[in-house]
Every structure is written in structure tokens, then in C-alpha cells.
Amino acid sequence: MAVYQNQMSLPGCIVVINMIAEVLLKMKNFFCNSFRLVSGNNEDKEKLETQLHDMAAMVERLEGSRQKLLAEIDSQSTEIGKLFQENANLSSAYQETVGVVVYRQNQIDLSDLVLFQVKECLKQNEELVAQLVKEQGRVEAPVAEVMQLSVQPEQARQAYLPGFARL
């Protein structure tokens, strides 16, 4: 959006237009009063016609300036409308982006929670493995003893079996 240095602000344009309107009103009043005052004097009429011609030229310049100012006001109004539309689009895009960021942040928070829970499960698993190793150590000695005791009757039977067979 290009802004030209020659552009006048909208309030400034309105002030100038109001000043032009005041000058035109004063000129109208001046001409009306001047025609009433001039009677039949040709010299006064010529001065008045010269002044009238000069003022008419001034009125044309002022009207040209007024038209330029009105065109500038239209141009600035159009530019303001475009800026409002662009602002609305940017605001909408910003809100959409904020929504995406919030969604992503929620996903990150959920991932962090799941990761924390997985780490806690791994700690519990390590503790259970340590307990299992301790329990295995405690159970191995009695199991070995039971195995040894279960073998002894068979050994005793084997040792006495030949003696029983003779009987």
C-alpha cells in the first residue's frame, strides 16, 4: 500500500474544502454588493469587471483545487476500505494461526504426558525386574534343595532295590 507524500490527510482535505466554500460565499456576497453600488460610472464598472475577471479566475482555480481534493478524498476512502479489508483478512489469518498453535500445543502437552507415563512405567518395570531377580535368588535355593531331596528317594530305592530283589 503506497502512501504518497503529496497526499493530504482526510481531515485536512475537509478543512480546505470548507475554506474554499467560505471564499466562494464571500465572493458571491462581494459581487452582489458591488453591482448594487456601481451606478452608471464606466470607470467603476471597468474596475469591477477587472476584479470580476480576476475573481472568476480565482474561483476556477479554487474549484479545480476543490475537485482535486474531492478526488483525493475518494482515493483515500478507497484506500481505507482496502486497508480495512486487508486488516480483516490478517485478523482472520491470525485467529486461524492461534487456533493451530493452541491445537499443536495441546498435542505437545499430551505427548509430554504420555512420555512421562511411559517413563514411570519403565521405572516400575525396572523395580519389578529387581524384585523378580531377588525372588528368583530366594526361590532357587529351596528349589535346588527340593530337587536334591526328590532325587534322594530314587537313589535310595536304586541302592536297596538289588537287596529287595533277592528277598
Side-chain angles (χ1 to χ4, degrees), residues 81-93:
K82 288 178 184 176
L83 289 173
F84 271 110
Q85 183 60 43
E86 184 179 340
N87 186 41
N89 293 342
L90 288 172
S91 179
S92 177

Side-chain angles (χ1 to χ4, degrees), residues 56-112:
M58 182 187 295
V59 166
E60 285 182 31
R61 286 192 308 271
L62 289 172
E63 181 61 25
S65 295
R66 182 178 150 312
Q67 290 300 323
K68 285 180 185 176
L69 289 171
L70 289 173
E72 182 63 30
I73 287 172
D74 286 345
S75 172
Q76 287 187 7
S77 294
T78 302
E79 187 67 21
I80 287 170
K82 288 178 184 176
L83 289 173
F84 271 110
Q85 183 60 43
E86 184 179 340
N87 186 41
N89 293 342
L90 288 172
S91 179
S92 177
Y94 172 76
Q95 291 301 326
E96 185 178 327
T97 302
V98 166
V100 169
V101 167
V102 167
Y103 175 75
R104 295 293 184 203
Q105 186 60 48
N106 288 340
Q107 285 183 327
I108 290 170
D109 292 345
L110 184 60
S111 296
D112 288 346

Side-chain angles (χ1 to χ4, degrees), residues 139-153:
V139 170
E140 282 181 8
V143 167
E145 189 177 326
V146 166
M147 293 291 276
Q148 187 180 8
L149 290 175
S150 65
V151 171
Q152 282 179 355

Side-chain angles (χ1 to χ4, degrees), residues 5-6 10-11 13 25-26 29 38-39 43 47 49 52 60 70 74 80 85 124 136 153 156:
Q5 291 180 338
N6 296 0
L10 200 54
C13 290
L25 183 62
K26 287 179 183 178
N29 292 336
V38 174
S39 48
E43 190 177 306
K47 282 184 182 179
E49 283 181 13
L52 181 62
E60 285 182 31
L70 289 173
D74 286 345
I80 287 170
Q85 183 60 43
Q124 289 176 357
Q136 272 184 332

